[in-house]
Amino acid sequence: MKNNAHDFKAIAEVVSNKLATYLDESQKGNLKTLVQKPAEELAQDLQLEKWIKHGGLNTESVQDFLDTYLKNTQHLHHPHYIGHQVAVPHVATGIADFIHGTINNPMAIYEMGPAAAAIEKFLVNWMLEKIGWFKGSYLGDFSKINSNGGGILTHGGSLANLTALCAARAKIAPEAWTKGTPNDLVILASEEAHYSIARTISIMGLGREAIIPVAVDDLKVMKHEYLLAVYQKVKRQGKRVMAVVANACTTATGLHDPLEEIGAFCKAHNLWFHVDGAHGASALLSTKEKHLLKGIEHADSIIWDAHKMMRTSSLCAAVLFKDFRMMEGAFQQKGSYLFHDKEEVGFDLLPYAVECTKAALGTKLFWVLAAEGEKGLETFIDSTYQNTRLFYNYIHNHVDFECPYFPESNILCFRYTKYGLNNDFQLLLRNHIVERGNFYITSTEFNNIRYLRITVMNELTKEHHIKELLQEIIEVAQIIHNSN
């Protein structure tokens, strides 16, 4: 394959046809959800050594390669994929990836990708509007407006959390960028805060112990009434609270921290309020479900992943600020080849981003919206949430299963009870289900109890698929029980 338009067109047609077949077969459920081979064996099947050392991939050989590659993928479009919080991507977002992979416009510097930069800025304003933080008269107004919100798209929620907390640090300790992070700073966070919060704090030089945990209830929701006592304790220890972090929603259970009450506490004590809304913030798009995020507008910063509930391919995550000036202190850096006075058309996003070579992330979400519109995304969110509650009713009413809570979102935990409540048995069940390859589910543990866990990310997943899942669990449980 030569690096020219003719060969590009020929091989792109082959790849497009293969992906279309893959998509069709996956959506119809004709394939295994997951096939896992040992990595060494898979490397041989893919002939990696041959291709890397000698090249030569062309329109004929790429077909065999893709057959092997696609067979050994996680089939997210399969109705039986109900595993992790990873979007089942709309086909439109794949077009955006295809375009970016060809033109490669790293658009943190405006002149390197003007169209992509304009799209990102517009989408950030759109997301700010959903929270109540956009003060412009139209979404295409990119000027600096007093008390307007601000934000940027990043390669994932972990970078988004890092960016938000760097901004929080800049507010309480503006000298930190040059003199280092003061060792008297801490954050108050739910015991169920995402692992990226701990990573962020360690990257910032504070250490894991700078996260002061706030107790949660049996379903992993923050007990906001404990905040005052925790806050007073750290103040007596001579510590300063850099931020309070809440979940919307928790990863394990899909339940939401009480944002209204936490926001009121932060306002009363003049504390930075950060909401990790990576998964749950998309409920803002739903008239029926946005009540779950009551109080989110009181936050100072929010992260919101499009590659979870907005049908967007990974990665595309927003970090949003109530006041655009808050984001300006997060990073303070010089680089004469990038940061310099110039007669500028548009705007540079680089001063606000961790990444210099930043992909055209907004185009992924734009193509989904351009295909479905706001109403289409609202319908998708409503459907997945409502289906999850329907699945809860069926599972909870089954004599051999139990659910620990009624789901607020599209995440549901349950366990099989016929042969006892042993945690190892539940995990063994999950592992056997995944090994069979007919379904993909996950597992989690809270209150020292192991649960099976599903996340309904696919609009094609219906009640009869859940009935088939329970039947498979019953069959596998019987095999495990008999073997013991």
Side-chain angles (χ1 to χ4, degrees):
M1 178 173 57
K2 302 299 183 181
N3 189 29
N4 58 46
H6 177 272
D7 281 16
F8 170 80
K9 183 177 181 181
I11 204 161
E13 184 176 354
V14 173
V15 172
S16 176
N17 289 334
K18 286 289 183 182
L19 288 176
T21 300
Y22 169 87
L23 180 65
D24 186 52
E25 292 293 297
S26 296
Q27 291 181 334
K28 289 177 178 176
N30 293 339
L31 306 169
K32 290 281 189 181
T33 310
L34 175 65
V35 174
Q36 293 189 87
K37 285 186 174 182
E40 294 84 356
E41 182 181 341
L42 191 50
Q44 290 181 353
D45 290 348
L46 290 166
Q47 302 182 67
L48 299 184
E49 186 170 359
K50 168 191 169 184
W51 294 122
I52 288 170
K53 287 189 174 181
H54 305 292
L57 199 67
N58 55 39
T59 53
E60 288 76 34
S61 57
V62 74
Q63 299 192 51
D64 289 338
F65 176 83
L66 276 177
D67 285 340
T68 304
Y69 184 89
L70 295 175
K71 181 180 179 181
N72 291 279
T73 61
Q74 176 70 263
H75 292 71
L76 272 69
H77 295 277
H78 197 298
H80 290 176
Y81 175 83
I82 34 181
H84 291 291
Q85 295 156 270
V86 177
V88 176
H90 194 289
V91 293
T93 197
I95 303 300
D97 285 326
F98 183 59
I99 294 170
H100 174 70
T102 304
I103 68 172
N104 191 32
N105 277 201
M107 39 61 68
I109 300 296
Y110 186 80
E111 62 193 41
M112 288 299 294
I119 286 174
E120 174 166 327
K121 192 78 167 178
F122 192 97
L123 285 172
V124 165
N125 284 350
W126 174 74
M127 297 171 93
L128 291 170
E129 183 184 56
K130 298 305 176 186
I131 301 168
W133 290 352
F134 181 69
K135 307 302 180 184
S137 56
Y138 63 102
L139 294 178
D141 184 354
F142 300 153
S143 61
K144 292 187 175 181
I145 305 168
N146 287 338
S147 73
N148 197 32
I152 195 167
L153 300 181
T154 73
H155 291 79
S158 295
L159 279 182
N161 275 325
L162 173 63
T163 304
L165 291 179
C166 280
R169 179 183 66 176
K171 182 178 181 182
I172 196 171
E175 74 286 354
W177 189 263
T178 53
K179 296 183 179 179
T181 303
N183 60 13
D184 66 337
L185 298 184
V186 297
I187 69 167
L188 309 186
S190 161
E191 289 179 347
E192 285 297 301
H194 191 260
Y195 68 83
S196 63
I197 299 297
R199 285 188 177 180
T200 288
I201 292 305
S202 294
I203 289 169
M204 294 172 69
L206 284 167
R208 178 64 180 82
E209 292 181 358
I211 299 179
I212 310 301
V214 180
V216 296
D217 63 20
D218 289 344
L219 297 177
K220 301 306 179 184
V221 174
M222 183 192 288
K223 293 183 175 181
H224 67 92
E225 63 270 21
Y226 283 44
L227 274 168
L228 180 59
V230 175
Y231 175 61
Q232 290 174 336
K233 180 179 179 180
V234 298
K235 283 191 68 178
R236 289 194 298 269
Q237 295 171 342
K239 301 291 186 180
R240 291 183 292 162
V241 175
M242 186 176 82
V244 177
V245 179
N247 292 320
C249 51
T250 61
T251 300
T253 63
L255 303 178
H256 298 70
D257 285 343
L259 304 183
E260 186 80 44
E261 291 80 0
I262 298 170
F265 172 83
C266 291
K267 183 178 181 180
H269 298 279
N270 194 28
L271 301 175
W272 186 289
F273 179 27
H274 175 62
V275 175
D276 185 341
H279 186 89
S282 292
L284 289 168
L285 305 179
S286 167
T287 303
K288 295 178 181 177
E289 306 296 347
K290 65 182 179 181
H291 67 92
L292 296 167
L293 299 167
K294 183 182 178 183
I296 195 170
E297 68 278 3
H298 301 311
D300 296 288
S301 56
I302 297 166
I303 76 162
W304 180 357
D305 290 1
H307 60 260
K308 286 187 167 59
M309 289 303 295
M310 287 198 278
R311 311 186 72 179
T312 302
S313 62
S314 57
L315 294 163
C316 180
V319 53
L320 305 169
F321 299 90
K322 179 184 292 185
D323 189 327
F324 73 90
R325 293 171 298 180
M326 295 174 176
M327 63 190 284
E328 295 182 344
F331 310 116
Q332 304 163 31
Q333 210 153 0
K334 299 293 183 182
S336 61
Y337 66 102
L338 292 174
F339 301 93
H340 56 85
D341 294 331
K342 55 185 175 181
E343 191 69 30
E344 187 177 27
V345 177
F347 43 82
D348 290 345
L349 298 175
L350 181 59
Y352 316 115
V354 174
E355 314 98 301
C356 175
T357 308
K358 192 167 89 73
L361 305 178
T363 61
K364 299 157 159 300
L365 174 57
F366 166 77
W367 274 76
V368 178
L369 281 164
E372 295 285 342
E374 290 181 322
K375 188 62 180 177
L377 278 182
E378 179 178 19
T379 299
F380 171 75
I381 292 163
D382 287 346
S383 174
T384 54
Y385 279 36
Q386 289 170 332
N387 281 344
T388 305
R389 293 161 190 162
L390 178 67
F391 301 161
Y392 163 86
N393 289 330
Y394 180 76
I395 296 171
H396 190 63
N397 290 327
H398 194 292
V399 64
D400 294 326
F401 291 85
E402 67 176 20
C403 302
Y405 61 88
F406 183 80
E408 288 183 346
S409 61
N410 59 326
I411 299 173
L412 176 62
C413 298
F414 62 97
R415 57 180 176 167
Y416 184 68
T417 60
K418 182 175 181 178
Y419 299 120
L421 304 177
N422 182 276
N423 282 354
D424 291 338
F425 186 79
Q426 302 299 318
L427 188 56
L428 197 59
L429 263 177
R430 186 264 172 182
N431 292 341
H432 277 265
I433 294 293
V434 172
E435 185 178 350
R436 281 187 164 200
N438 299 319
F439 290 87
Y440 186 79
I441 64 173
T442 57
S443 174
T444 191
E445 186 173 314
F446 53 93
N447 299 326
N448 297 315
I449 299 173
R450 172 66 61 178
Y451 293 96
L452 305 175
R453 176 178 174 274
I454 61 173
T455 307
V456 183
M457 305 296 291
N458 194 333
E459 61 183 343
L460 299 178
T461 304
K462 305 299 183 183
E463 186 174 10
H464 69 90
H465 296 118
I466 299 302
K467 292 178 179 179
E468 292 166 9
L469 169 63
L470 297 198
Q471 187 57 43
E472 177 136 336
I473 290 172
I474 291 169
E475 291 174 6
V476 170
Q478 186 68 55
I479 293 170
I480 296 173
H481 179 72
N482 291 343
S483 66
N484 294 330

